[in-house]
Amino acid sequence: MLTLWRKAGYFDPLRATPAAWVFAIARNLRIDGIRRERRAQVHALLDRVEPEAPEQPDNLVDIDERQRRVAEALQHLPPEQAEVVRMSFIEGKAHGEISKCLELPLGTVKSRLRLAMVRLRQALADLAEEETP
Amino acid sequence: MMPTRHPSDLLLAEFAAGALDEASTLVVAAHLALCAQCRRAVADFECIGGVLLDEAGAGGFSVAKRSQAITAISADLPQQPLPRRDLSIAESVEAMIDVYGRGPWRWIGPGVYRCGINLEDKGVRAFMLRGAAGTELPDHSHSGSELTLVLKGEFSHELGRFGVGDMEEADGGISHAPRIGNEECICLVAMAGTIRLRGLLGRLIQPFVRL
């Protein structure tokens, strides 16, 4: 299994922060570990797609900045939003499972996650604009 | 050509988290192969995952998984500075479907063929649907959610036109009667629950339609 990810887990500094890359590999390992599932292979194939246009290298200088902004935005999330974000990203729970665990309606889980994602992406939004050619 | 209809941020975040079922993972990944804009969104969400992972430390992923990942990464860094981008978009979508393998194309109605994808998780089904030019599919509703990605051609219904790379994210309960455009259309579909045909004709043929 590990050899598979040695091959699949290329690091592309134009695309990902090192932490995001570690996360992606750890996520794929976790999916691999759950069942004899092949979802992780589908995720890994995406890293091999040739982009239509070369990606912008501006990303590179912003890595620390991206990391810092996301960390800051996460700290400022209301606790109930931070909780569902952690359950989704770290525990890998589907929205339905989160709703069962927390005994909350699915709609509530989804709206908390949606609000959190809007905030987190806003924190990165002006960086993304600078990157667009 | 850039797709104009995209998955919601919520769906992309669930994909990035690795929390989507097999069928939806496949359809979202195929859209990502076709859509630079959504790949960027997923990269942002993975960045969120990265920060959370840093914070969670050993309390998040198991210590073994974490150290495995780090060993794999540090072993690779010197040799693999850049990814090998060796797949065209078409090849990558093909390869994603081939991860699971697929059945034969089967006739399911006038001008419409279906090809099942052999997932291990049977909860949400994935299949390809091929419709001949000009075909009108019967008005139907869904008991569960449905993701539809256009791989070839186009279709349209009450909610608009969907061309190559476009994805329709339909919640359970939505009813539509898609019409195929002027060339053959092939879609990749993830479907939870079942479809219900509407109208008299629909009710008459319902027992014969198996999607």
Side-chain angles (χ1 to χ4, degrees):
Chain A
M1 187 174 75
L2 195 54
T3 26
L4 175 70
W5 296 116
R6 285 231 170 115
K7 285 185 195 130
Y10 309 104
F11 177 57
D12 181 354
L14 300 188
R15 272 194 184 179
T17 66
W21 188 55
V22 174
F23 171 75
I25 291 179
R27 171 199 64 206
N28 291 353
L29 283 168
R30 184 190 63 212
I31 297 173
D32 255 5
I34 304 174
R35 282 173 260 168
R36 291 182 53 224
E37 267 200 33
R38 284 170 283 186
R39 264 188 303 156
Q41 290 180 40
V42 174
H43 274 278
L45 275 167
L46 263 183
D47 289 340
R48 289 176 48 192
V49 182
E50 273 178 15
E52 312 87 290
E55 289 178 40
Q56 295 301 299
D58 316 19
N59 245 344
L60 206 53
V61 282
D62 290 329
I63 279 180
D64 290 339
E65 180 65 10
R66 289 164 79 83
Q67 189 83 2
R68 198 189 59 73
R69 287 194 189 195
V70 170
E72 194 184 292
L74 273 169
Q75 272 171 4
H76 289 98
L77 282 186
E80 72 276 8
Q81 286 176 26
E83 180 182 39
V84 289
V85 170
R86 275 196 186 84
M87 290 177 83
S88 176
F89 281 83
I90 298 301
E91 295 169 32
K93 286 195 163 68
H95 298 168
E97 292 174 71
I98 298 176
S99 120
K100 272 185 210 138
C101 281
L102 298 178
E103 297 178 357
L104 284 170
L106 183 60
T108 308
V109 171
K110 283 186 187 257
S111 70
R112 283 181 187 176
L113 276 164
R114 195 177 292 121
L115 287 170
M117 291 307 133
V118 167
R119 281 213 198 184
L120 292 163
R121 285 208 79 198
Q122 263 168 3
L124 294 170
D126 56 324
L127 287 178
E129 269 159 38
E130 286 159 24
E131 286 159 19
T132 348
Chain B
M1 194 179 61
M2 286 286 289
T4 56
R5 291 168 177 271
H6 306 278
S8 64
D9 269 5
L10 202 57
L11 190 64
L12 292 175
E14 204 174 5
F15 174 87
L20 279 183
D21 59 87
E22 276 185 326
S24 308
T25 297
L26 180 63
V27 178
V28 172
H31 172 80
L32 289 170
L34 291 150
C35 182
Q37 181 187 327
C38 288
R39 281 204 298 274
R40 194 173 284 277
V42 167
D44 279 357
F45 293 135
E46 286 174 347
C47 184
I48 294 167
V51 173
L52 282 169
L53 189 56
D54 268 0
E55 288 176 358
F61 285 95
S62 77
V63 181
K65 286 274 189 296
R66 196 177 153 82
S67 60
Q68 256 185 350
I70 288 164
T71 315
I73 290 157
S74 42
D76 267 1
L77 269 176
Q79 299 94 358
Q80 301 276 358
L82 282 173
R84 196 176 54 205
R85 302 282 178 74
D86 55 354
L87 294 177
S88 71
I89 290 167
E91 284 166 346
S92 62
V93 173
E94 193 73 17
M96 285 169 192
I97 292 170
D98 285 347
V99 163
Y100 296 104
R102 62 175 108 157
W105 284 100
R106 289 186 198 284
W107 185 91
I108 57 160
V112 188
Y113 292 79
R114 174 197 191 275
C115 163
I117 293 165
N118 311 320
L119 305 182
E120 322 219 339
D121 165 15
K122 308 290 179 203
V124 184
R125 283 157 300 152
F127 51 87
M128 284 192 286
L129 210 53
R130 188 176 81 207
T135 308
E136 282 184 45
L137 294 156
D139 193 357
H140 63 275
S141 63
H142 298 269
S143 67
S145 61
E146 181 195 44
L147 304 176
T148 307
L149 172 73
V150 181
L151 297 176
K152 179 176 185 246
E154 64 170 67
F155 71 84
S156 50
H157 55 54
E158 299 85 330
L159 299 172
R161 193 195 78 88
F162 295 80
V164 173
D166 286 341
M167 196 171 109
E168 182 182 18
E169 191 177 340
D171 276 337
I174 280 189
S175 153
H176 52 200
R179 185 181 190 287
I180 312 283
N182 296 325
E183 59 164 318
E184 177 185 77
C185 177
I186 299 178
C187 294
L188 180 62
V189 183
M191 190 193 276
T194 52
I195 68 163
R196 258 169 286 175
L197 300 174
R198 291 150 56 95
L200 178 62
L201 178 66
R203 284 201 299 275
L204 285 173
I205 63 173
Q206 174 85 69
F208 308 104
V209 176
R210 289 197 302 137
L211 258 179

